[in-house]
Amino acid sequence: MPGVETIKSSWADEVELDYGGLPPTTENVENGHKYVTEYKYNKDDKKTKVVRTYKISKQVVPKTVAKRRTWTKFGESKSDKPGPNSHTTMVSEEIIMQFLNSKEDEKANDPLLDPTKNIAKCRICNGEHWSVNCPYKGTAMDTNLMEKKAAAAASAAVDAPKSGKYVPPFLKDSQKGGLGMRGRDDTAAIRISNLSESMTEADLEELVKKIGPQSKMYLARDKNTGLCKGFAYVHFKQRKDAAAAIEILNGHGYDHLILSVEWSKPQNN
């Protein structure tokens, strides 16, 4: 008997026999992936089979985007399923944009607002913290620093100004041995500001007694409440002690506040 030759046809011929043209697009979902199979003619007018694989993932989108996806389709896509149709829609990579206004942009570029950077610097140990929170506060390190500042301020106050430099009028009076305009020597007086409301005369005396002897102290109080108004005057017997007090106490942390100390301005008639 003559041998029977089996001819294996291609899938394109089988599709043409079954459908008489291009079959419809099919979708299959397996293991978190969606497989879309479609048929079309290429440039040479030959039938081709295209299989696209999509990975199914969930993501959070704005409400307006989610609402837009529920809109009813129209035109050639009226009968399409939810999602883009490759025949009528070109799918590209999704681009996410974040808009910043000018204030947010300036805030993001401001180095002073960077939480990773510390703007505080301790005057005692030069650490990145406030002096009032220094672990060495009140120890020998702090005491030695105050003594060095007092010695430097005293030597600066004793040194006579060089010729040719400007000398304030109240310094001229002190160099001549004169008194102030009201018969009182104000050249050794300082003004301490940024004091707390709970400040008392005893606290003020405790603050300055280690620097040098004083002749007078005045703590400004409110007439109605009797609380401290935030500033005080201290008259030292020697000008070098007053200079040392300014050097030591100016910028010093006291009662959770940073003190501001300066020379007391002479009183005019």
Side-chain angles (χ1 to χ4, degrees), residues 6 9 173:
T6 303
S9 62
D173 293 338

PDB file of all heavy atoms in Angstrom, residues 6 9 173:
ATOM      1  N   THR A   6       1.219  12.811   5.741  1.00  0.00           N
ATOM      2  CA  THR A   6       0.436  13.721   6.578  1.00  0.00           C
ATOM      3  C   THR A   6       0.973  15.142   6.421  1.00  0.00           C
ATOM      4  O   THR A   6       2.175  15.395   6.617  1.00  0.00           O
ATOM      5  CB  THR A   6       0.522  13.321   8.055  1.00  0.00           C
ATOM      6  OG1 THR A   6       0.059  11.963   8.167  1.00  0.00           O
ATOM      7  CG2 THR A   6      -0.329  14.235   8.910  1.00  0.00           C
ATOM      8  N   SER A   9      -0.837  21.588   8.672  1.00  0.00           N
ATOM      9  CA  SER A   9      -1.168  22.965   8.269  1.00  0.00           C
ATOM     10  C   SER A   9      -0.722  23.948   9.343  1.00  0.00           C
ATOM     11  O   SER A   9      -0.547  23.584  10.511  1.00  0.00           O
ATOM     12  CB  SER A   9      -2.676  23.083   8.012  1.00  0.00           C
ATOM     13  OG  SER A   9      -3.377  22.802   9.212  1.00  0.00           O
ATOM     14  N   ASP A 173      35.048 110.875  80.862  1.00  0.00           N
ATOM     15  CA  ASP A 173      34.798 111.310  82.230  1.00  0.00           C
ATOM     16  C   ASP A 173      35.437 110.370  83.240  1.00  0.00           C
ATOM     17  O   ASP A 173      36.000 110.798  84.250  1.00  0.00           O
ATOM     18  CB  ASP A 173      33.285 111.386  82.491  1.00  0.00           C
ATOM     19  CG  ASP A 173      32.639 112.486  81.663  1.00  0.00           C
ATOM     20  OD1 ASP A 173      33.384 113.404  81.247  1.00  0.00           O
ATOM     21  OD2 ASP A 173      31.418 112.418  81.427  1.00  0.00           O
TER      22      ASP A 173
END
